[in-house]
Amino acid sequence: MAENRQILILDGAMGTELQAAGLPVGGIPEVWNIEHPEEVTAIHRRYIEAGSQVVYTNTFGANRLKMAKAGYPLQALIVSAIGNARAAVVETGRPDVKVAMDIGPIGRLIEPLGDMSFDEAYDIFAEEMRAAKGADMIVIETMSDLSETKAAVLAAKENTDLPVFVTMSFEANSRTFTGTSIASMALTFSDMGIDGIGMNCSLGPEELLPMVKELYTCTKLPLVVKPNAGLPDPATNTYNVLPEEFGAIMRKMLPYGVCAVGGCCGTSPEYIRELVRVVREWEAERDAVEAGKNGSDEAAKSFYPDDYEELTTLRNTRPTGIASASKAVWFTEPRCIGERINPTGKKRFKEALQNGDMDYILGQAISQVEAGAEILDVNVGLPGIDETAMMVRVIRELQAVVDVPLQIDSNKPEVLEAALRIYCGKPLVNSVNGEEKSLTSILPLVKKYGAAVVGLTLDENGIGKTAEERFAVAEKIVSRAEAAGIRRENLQIDCLTLTASAEQAGVAETLKAVAMVHDRLHLGAVLGVSNVSFGLPNRDVINTAFLTMALQNGLTLPIMNPNSEGMMGALRAYRVLMNIDKNSLAYMDAYRDWQPAQTVVVAAGAAGAAGAVANAGVSAPTGDTVAADIAAKLGDGAASLYTAVVRGLAAQGTELTKSLLGTMDSMDIVNGVLIPALDTVGAGFEKGRIFLPQLILSASVVQGAFSEIKNHMRASGADAVSKGTIVLATVKGDIHDIGKNIVKVLLENYGFTVVDLGRDVEIEAVVKAARETGTPLVGLSALMTTTLPSMRDTIVALREAGLPCKVVVGGAVLTPEYAAEIGADYYGRDAKATVDIAREVFGV
Amino acid sequence: MVELKPIRMDEAARYLGYGDQTPDETILTLMKECEAPLMEACHPAYSVGIFELECCSEDEVRLADCALTLTGKDIVKHLVGCTKVAIVAATLGSGVDTLMRRLQLTNMPKALLTDAMAGAAIEQICDDIQSEIQGKMPLFRQTWRFSPGYGDLPLALQDELLAAVEANKRIGLMTTDSHMLTPLKSVTAIIGLQDMTKELRKVATEDGDAISAPVGACAAGACAGCAYHDSCLTRQDKTAEEPQDT
């Protein structure tokens, strides 16, 4: 309990006090620092008189965006805010009272939730920090977004030497508005060198109490708690907890590592006065209990709450973990690290990296997570690509669609640093090794960004042949990491898997090294499991056996293919058999729909699918004659595929395509079956007989069929045929892109290659892509009237660049007249019309 | 409290372009499949502020004790006859945006359906908020929901509107550089509140004098036969012209 001998008393609300003094609702509070300094100082003074030992400056929104309309320079608003707080300290004759520079959220969401970049957020915070020189400490509070909070912490650490408190705002579901969990916050900041962590605003003390307990078990940092005065009435905005009750509930939090308490919205000096009374009384009781004045252990037992011992044990014994914003993964049991985001030996993945095909990479991530991966390894190293830029982009996009934490896999310090900076949460770095160069360049990064790291047991002499040699390297890495200020538990040791086909005797050495790391260093062990079977047939059998043996020896983080049923099965079974998966709940959940494997005969499968198609109901309205025609020319299988597309039957469409590829030429399937089917659906859509969802359903069947066709062509060494390249973008300022994405799917259906620039796309990026691809057609989308000027500017820029491309525009608020007015060549009324325009432009 | 109720599929279908028609069985089944993940991703939150209407000129409305000034002729027309104004900000939360991104990568048909269903959900939340206001202020009649970007009310007011109800802090609702709301499935609205115990007054508009119907004449559904039908500025059977969300 050494950390909270004397609990610091913070202050209460500033905003509501200012409003009581006459600030209009929605007005800019920081303006009062200059226009009504005496009012601001008076509020600080009342808090100090009530017992606050730290006062927060009136700078919650003092960032360049929120202060754009304030009418005063940011620097002046901040300096006068600090001055007002100092004045109160002087007036009250309390030089011990600390002035804390208050930093609130910027008011914009960081990508991908919003449009602000991480670097922009950092710059905005850095400007605030540099202006805060006269303060005694920094408080980053009321944060909701973990990325933004991390930007603020980095800005504080890199621009000041002041102590830093971080408090985020949690809702009743124990998450922030953007989904950050308590454990994620704790893991992210526990090793970043801050001085206090906790929660403020959003809820009252009663609601925060269980969250404070949870946070206590997740970090060894001192806790900071500043609740609202209960919950507000949405109509009257008054809060429902009075000072006495507030103090009584706050008292219940104090045992759980709390170092500083205060109040947020709705609290006033009265609340602080009550808080001081309660806190000092509790401290006196605690001191008496600890000094044994009250007699026995019994007294101590009754002083601390019932759950105190249990929670404290959990806090002290739980190993660390890593986290994304919404998910914490503790290193308490074996966890699967998905290995598939890695170009090594994967032709398709290399292509995706070279073409910037994010959809493929993200698809790989989603399928691994669905298969049970709890962490994903991310390696994008490939000759000829900018690894730093690609790593940053892939991490950012991955974190927008999957919630598992990531392992950043590169041996280049500059790649790691760029990734560590923007990573939202606490990552695992893969890796440092025993080489001097690696130790001196990687460990400081791990320390600075508070990450966990994999230590590879190799050094200047290569990989040791014996377990003992590798163990010695592990020991060296551990001691160097500790010397660099990294907590030991943040290290995970990789004892290196050798290939059984080449170094058969080495496999046992690896297993032995794992056991030594587990038994003697008490650290987690990592292995790239699948390497063991390289060069052998039926690799899954070898991998599964090796995985099971390694787990038994102490492996905790297997890097493996989660889509391998055998290996995932072995991992799940291990957890059951070792009594980790209590009551086999996770195991039973994973195999809920499990059925014994059945022998599948391809031909029968196809016939079955075709039968299902035939039995699925009436054929599409105009489809009959076309279907009959296709049946006559290309056979029943082709006709069934046609019907599957028209009726939107995805599974059948994929199966039928697979089987047709055995007998039909790929391009015949595309031109003879898929495109006629799309035309049928498109015609129905134009006539208003079918609706957009059905059109997209059919399009998704074709997407599945195309994916089979491309795999087939790749396997047979043929290049995929494209009807031409089209550049698509949702224009600058617009972040609604589902319309553009629908157009993309349909264009790809018709065999076009789409370069998708995404949403909120800079004008120059559109021009650059149009120039580099030499495309004859650029498609621009905008949803809102306010972004139409940006669409016009993009067209102007394309014309000024002298590019020969045509431009098609679309979006809810566009009209053909406006399209013509802004200089577009075509107006795409809907996705189908846009495809027709593309076919016209390309003459296909 | 406003809670998420089962999503009105007919409303979602309307957003998908079905009008009054019912989607076929395949689409309805898919919509059903989309419902649970959507409901799980939704964390609806809202913030409401009720302000006295302080002063109203031809193209500006000011609110008492509030820094927000509403500009444009259309909002003036919208608030004719009102003595109070409710500012509403509501969101389904960022979980829906994440779900949408994932669906657009893995299942475009479901992405399209979920998008429309989320649109229906946020409108339902707004309806519920209006019912709640009605419950607390039974003597006031509410106008429909007017939002920045409608008519000549600038979209740029979005930030100030959020500030008036502390939406950043209370519900995590933000704007982008171009004043769009994030999370995407969010609404801000200005609702006029007419004191039904008071006679409505004549007001000057750009088209000359206009008269709002006296309160007593306004039985529910009585608009069609009302003598003030053409001149009334707060007619209940007016259909809102809302921009379509795609």
Side-chain angles (χ1 to χ4, degrees):
Chain A
M1 303 284 299
E3 71 254 12
N4 63 351
R5 290 308 338 152
Q6 245 264 345
I7 292 171
L8 266 183
I9 307 294
L10 309 171
D11 64 5
M14 170 61 73
T16 36
E17 295 292 299
L18 285 172
Q19 279 172 15
L23 174 75
V25 174
I28 301 177
E30 289 77 6
V31 168
W32 277 43
N33 292 331
I34 292 173
E35 293 180 357
H36 303 283
E38 66 295 337
E39 298 280 3
V40 178
T41 298
I43 294 169
H44 289 313
R45 196 178 56 228
R46 287 200 293 275
Y47 279 123
I48 296 173
E49 284 164 358
S52 293
Q53 297 164 292
V54 177
V55 287
Y56 285 23
T57 56
N58 179 30
T59 52
F60 181 79
N63 64 66
R64 71 166 90 114
L65 296 185
K66 281 191 175 166
M67 293 303 110
K69 288 185 185 164
Y72 299 98
L74 181 65
Q75 174 85 13
L77 291 166
I78 293 175
V79 168
S80 43
I82 295 171
N84 293 337
R86 281 272 174 248
V89 170
V90 172
E91 282 173 27
T92 52
R94 289 280 307 279
D96 58 307
V97 171
K98 305 277 183 249
V99 172
M101 168 73 181
D102 186 21
I103 308 259
I106 293 169
R108 296 261 190 278
L109 286 176
I110 293 194
E111 304 161 319
L113 294 173
D115 65 337
M116 184 172 60
S117 72
F118 180 88
D119 292 340
E120 190 184 350
Y122 174 86
D123 280 346
I124 288 168
F125 286 125
E127 189 180 14
E128 289 184 73
M129 302 299 174
R130 286 192 296 269
K133 290 239 183 311
D136 300 312
M137 60 184 295
I138 304 282
V139 289
I140 297 163
E141 66 161 351
T142 327
M143 302 303 282
S144 169
D145 186 66
L146 191 66
S147 238
E148 185 183 355
T149 314
K150 182 169 169 182
V153 170
L154 284 173
K157 301 301 289 180
E158 291 176 357
N159 294 279
T160 79
D161 297 319
L162 300 175
V164 179
F165 281 179
V166 174
T167 57
M168 297 184 77
S169 293
F170 294 87
E171 298 306 301
N173 62 357
S174 298
R175 288 178 182 271
T176 68
F177 286 125
T178 59
T180 301
S181 70
I182 291 170
S184 292
M185 171 182 79
L187 285 171
T188 302
F189 298 117
S190 284
D191 293 303
M192 279 187 75
I194 63 169
D195 304 90
I197 191 168
M199 39 197 72
N200 77 296
C201 204
S202 70
L203 297 168
E206 185 78 58
E207 294 78 22
L208 288 188
L209 177 60
M211 299 188 206
V212 167
K213 292 183 184 182
E214 184 184 347
L215 179 59
Y216 174 64
T217 67
C218 294
T219 181
K220 296 189 175 75
L221 284 173
L223 305 196
V224 181
V225 193
K226 233 178 172 239
N228 287 347
L231 301 170
D233 179 322
T236 61
N237 287 332
T238 51
Y239 290 82
N240 66 357
V241 174
L242 297 172
E244 202 168 318
E245 190 188 353
F246 185 84
I249 308 169
M250 290 300 286
R251 184 192 158 106
K252 296 185 193 167
M253 294 178 187
L254 303 178
Y256 305 100
V258 170
C259 78
V261 288
C264 202
C265 305
T267 60
S268 63
E270 257 186 281
Y271 288 77
I272 298 306
R273 199 163 283 120
E274 182 62 17
L275 203 49
V276 172
R277 194 185 66 75
V278 165
V279 167
R280 298 304 172 227
E281 187 184 278
W282 179 84
E283 283 172 344
E285 280 180 43
R286 175 200 62 193
D287 293 347
V289 163
E290 287 183 3
K293 281 184 193 153
N294 287 4
S296 55
D297 285 356
E298 285 305 308
K301 256 190 193 146
S302 66
F303 178 72
Y304 287 108
D306 290 344
D307 57 7
Y308 177 72
E309 197 179 321
E310 185 193 340
L311 296 180
T312 305
T313 306
L314 177 59
R315 178 189 203 224
N316 292 336
T317 56
R318 173 146 70 175
T320 189
I322 56 174
S324 67
S326 58
K327 195 172 247 174
V329 172
W330 299 92
F331 296 147
T332 46
E333 62 188 82
R335 311 277 191 184
C336 164
I337 302 181
E339 67 180 7
R340 305 285 299 163
I341 303 184
N342 190 324
T344 312
K346 301 189 192 82
K347 192 178 169 197
R348 179 70 186 88
F349 199 95
K350 283 180 187 162
E351 267 177 40
L353 282 179
Q354 278 152 353
N355 304 332
D357 178 0
M358 281 297 140
D359 288 4
Y360 178 78
I361 298 171
L362 298 178
Q364 289 287 308
I366 292 170
S367 85
Q368 289 185 91
V369 173
E370 283 173 353
E374 292 177 273
I375 299 165
L376 295 182
D377 183 84
V378 182
N379 183 319
V380 294
L382 191 66
I385 69 157
D386 178 347
E387 188 181 343
T388 303
M390 183 57 80
M391 181 64 97
V392 166
R393 181 171 173 203
V394 168
I395 287 179
R396 193 181 286 141
E397 301 220 14
L398 276 174
Q399 292 205 292
V401 296
V402 293
D403 60 359
V404 300
L406 304 179
Q407 168 168 280
I408 305 170
D409 186 356
S410 174
N411 51 14
K412 299 193 179 78
E414 66 277 14
V415 174
L416 289 176
E417 171 140 38
L420 281 164
R421 224 175 155 74
I422 60 101
Y423 179 85
C424 179
K426 176 185 177 185
L428 181 55
V429 169
N430 189 13
S431 57
V432 67
N433 64 49
E435 287 182 79
E436 196 53 36
K437 191 174 68 164
S438 174
L439 293 167
T440 52
S441 61
I442 308 286
L443 291 178
L445 295 177
V446 172
K447 162 71 182 154
K448 176 176 178 185
Y449 294 98
V453 62
V454 174
L456 292 190
T457 51
L458 58 84
D459 60 11
E460 286 84 354
N461 304 317
I463 303 175
K465 276 221 174 319
T466 65
E468 286 73 16
E469 285 170 86
R470 286 183 227 168
F471 182 76
V473 177
E475 280 185 309
K476 173 175 154 191
I477 295 173
V478 170
S479 78
R480 290 291 295 271
E482 286 188 306
I486 297 167
R487 282 192 303 138
R488 180 188 169 88
E489 59 178 336
N490 276 315
L491 271 173
Q492 308 292 311
I493 302 297
D494 187 336
C495 297
L496 299 166
T497 305
L498 300 181
T499 302
S501 60
E503 294 174 85
Q504 202 163 357
V507 176
E509 290 300 314
T510 299
L511 293 172
K512 187 174 166 195
V514 167
M516 289 168 78
V517 164
H518 177 264
D519 297 342
R520 297 197 212 161
L521 293 177
H522 308 294
L523 289 177
V526 184
L527 281 179
V529 177
S530 319
N531 292 346
V532 76
S533 62
F534 195 76
L536 291 171
N538 201 0
R539 293 183 62 181
D540 210 30
V541 170
I542 300 282
N543 291 343
T544 304
F546 179 63
L547 172 64
T548 309
M549 294 161 80
L551 288 167
Q552 188 60 20
N553 278 280
L555 174 66
T556 48
L557 294 172
I559 305 177
M560 54 181 261
N561 180 3
N563 301 104
S564 151
E565 213 170 296
M567 290 167 87
M568 271 319 280
L571 182 58
R572 291 192 183 106
Y574 178 84
R575 288 177 182 155
V576 169
L577 301 174
M578 294 304 287
N579 196 23
I580 295 166
D581 177 5
K582 297 288 177 197
N583 297 318
S584 311
L585 289 179
Y587 185 87
M588 291 202 288
D589 189 45
Y591 294 107
R592 201 175 42 220
D593 302 322
W594 181 82
Q595 295 284 331
Q598 286 172 345
T599 313
V600 178
V601 181
V602 174
V613 170
N615 293 334
V618 261
S619 299
T622 57
D624 280 349
T625 54
V626 187
D629 203 30
I630 289 175
K633 273 195 230 150
L634 301 168
D636 286 344
S640 295
L641 176 59
Y642 168 88
T643 312
V645 173
V646 171
R647 299 199 48 80
L649 306 169
Q652 286 92 327
T654 302
E655 281 309 312
L656 286 163
T657 307
K658 267 191 208 164
S659 100
L660 280 179
L661 280 167
T663 56
M664 264 177 86
D665 175 64
S666 302
M667 289 322 289
D668 286 346
I669 298 177
V670 174
N671 294 321
V673 183
L674 298 178
I675 290 188
L678 282 169
D679 286 344
T680 298
V681 180
F685 177 71
E686 279 172 352
K687 293 187 181 120
R689 272 202 297 264
I690 71 160
F691 296 91
L692 187 61
Q694 291 156 291
L695 177 67
I696 298 307
L697 202 53
S698 294
S700 73
V701 181
V702 174
Q703 233 182 344
F706 253 110
S707 154
E708 287 304 324
I709 290 169
K710 281 183 185 162
N711 286 343
H712 180 79
M713 292 175 86
R714 201 170 283 116
S716 61
D719 285 330
V721 181
S722 167
K723 293 192 174 149
T725 298
I726 299 172
V727 171
L728 283 190
T730 299
V731 298
K732 180 70 193 158
D734 210 322
I735 50 171
H736 301 80
D737 65 349
I738 187 167
K740 181 262 298 167
N741 291 340
I742 286 172
V743 171
K744 174 186 175 183
V745 168
L746 222 53
L747 284 170
E748 285 177 343
N749 273 191
Y750 276 88
F752 293 104
T753 302
V754 175
V755 175
D756 179 6
L757 301 177
R759 57 182 198 172
D760 194 16
V761 180
E762 299 288 347
I763 291 172
E764 303 78 62
V766 179
V767 174
K768 182 166 173 264
R771 182 181 293 122
E772 283 173 0
T773 56
T775 180
L777 186 62
V778 172
L780 300 175
S781 157
L783 177 77
M784 308 286 280
T785 39
T786 47
T787 49
L788 292 178
S790 166
M791 182 177 262
R792 182 192 55 219
D793 296 345
T794 309
I795 297 174
V796 169
L798 285 166
R799 302 297 187 223
E800 280 174 358
L803 296 167
C805 60
K806 302 276 187 196
V807 179
V808 55
V809 295
V813 295
L814 272 178
T815 59
E817 295 74 32
Y818 191 80
E821 190 187 318
I822 62 174
D825 300 289
Y826 300 98
Y827 165 67
R829 187 179 67 252
D830 52 41
K832 173 67 173 63
T834 309
V835 168
D836 292 340
I837 290 163
R839 291 167 95 179
E840 183 190 320
V841 170
F842 285 85
V844 290
Chain B
M1 265 312 283
V2 166
E3 276 170 17
L4 197 56
K5 297 187 184 127
I7 290 164
R8 285 188 52 189
M9 296 299 185
D10 54 341
E11 198 62 19
R14 204 170 64 82
Y15 294 154
L16 288 164
Y18 282 88
D20 294 334
Q21 300 185 50
T22 305
D24 64 24
E25 230 13 80
T26 317
I27 299 296
L28 283 178
T29 308
L30 266 187
M31 287 172 88
K32 269 281 158 218
E33 283 175 27
C34 292
E35 193 173 13
L38 174 60
M39 298 288 263
E40 200 179 317
C42 280
H43 290 287
Y46 71 100
S47 184
V48 176
I50 294 180
F51 301 93
E52 297 285 333
L53 201 145
E54 188 179 71
C55 117
C56 193
S57 73
E58 200 177 306
D59 55 4
E60 191 179 279
V61 178
R62 265 185 278 147
L63 309 174
D65 302 318
C66 179
L68 175 68
T69 299
L70 304 167
T71 56
K73 291 192 165 68
D74 294 322
I75 188 64
V76 172
K77 276 190 200 170
H78 179 71
L79 296 176
V80 161
C82 298
T83 52
K84 289 175 191 283
V85 172
I87 306 289
V88 173
T91 179
L92 295 185
S94 59
V96 177
D97 291 5
T98 305
L99 173 68
M100 283 301 301
R101 259 192 308 275
R102 200 177 304 145
L103 283 176
Q104 288 183 66
L105 284 165
T106 54
N107 193 325
M108 203 50 163
K110 282 190 176 178
L112 181 69
L113 300 176
T114 302
D115 185 62
M117 289 162 64
I122 188 68
E123 290 303 323
Q124 269 172 261
I125 297 282
C126 290
D127 289 346
D128 290 352
I129 294 169
Q130 285 203 265
S131 304
E132 193 175 87
I133 296 172
Q134 196 64 56
K136 286 192 174 141
M137 306 175 73
L139 295 179
F140 285 82
R141 187 172 57 199
Q142 301 178 31
T143 66
W144 52 278
R145 303 190 282 268
F146 200 94
S147 297
Y150 290 11
D152 62 356
L153 184 68
L155 191 66
L157 273 182
Q158 206 74 278
D159 301 70
E160 287 155 58
L161 213 78
L162 295 185
V165 291
E166 295 190 299
N168 281 185
K169 192 153 87 171
R170 287 201 200 158
I171 63 170
L173 183 52
M174 315 279 175
T175 54
T176 65
D177 265 349
S178 46
H179 314 293
M180 294 196 183
L181 296 173
T182 49
L184 293 176
K185 290 298 171 193
S186 303
V187 165
T188 55
I190 300 155
I191 301 163
L193 299 170
Q194 287 175 355
D195 187 341
M196 292 197 284
T197 61
K198 287 182 186 154
E199 287 286 304
L200 296 184
R201 58 201 167 96
K202 264 188 168 185
V203 289
T205 71
E206 61 180 330
D207 315 320
D209 273 10
I211 303 165
S212 290
V215 172
C218 292
C223 293
C226 176
Y228 296 92
H229 185 272
D230 292 325
S231 64
C232 183
L233 293 168
T234 52
R235 223 167 64 212
Q236 298 295 294
D237 66 353
K238 247 186 207 170
T239 41
E241 290 160 27
E242 297 172 30
Q244 205 194 342
D245 194 356
T246 55

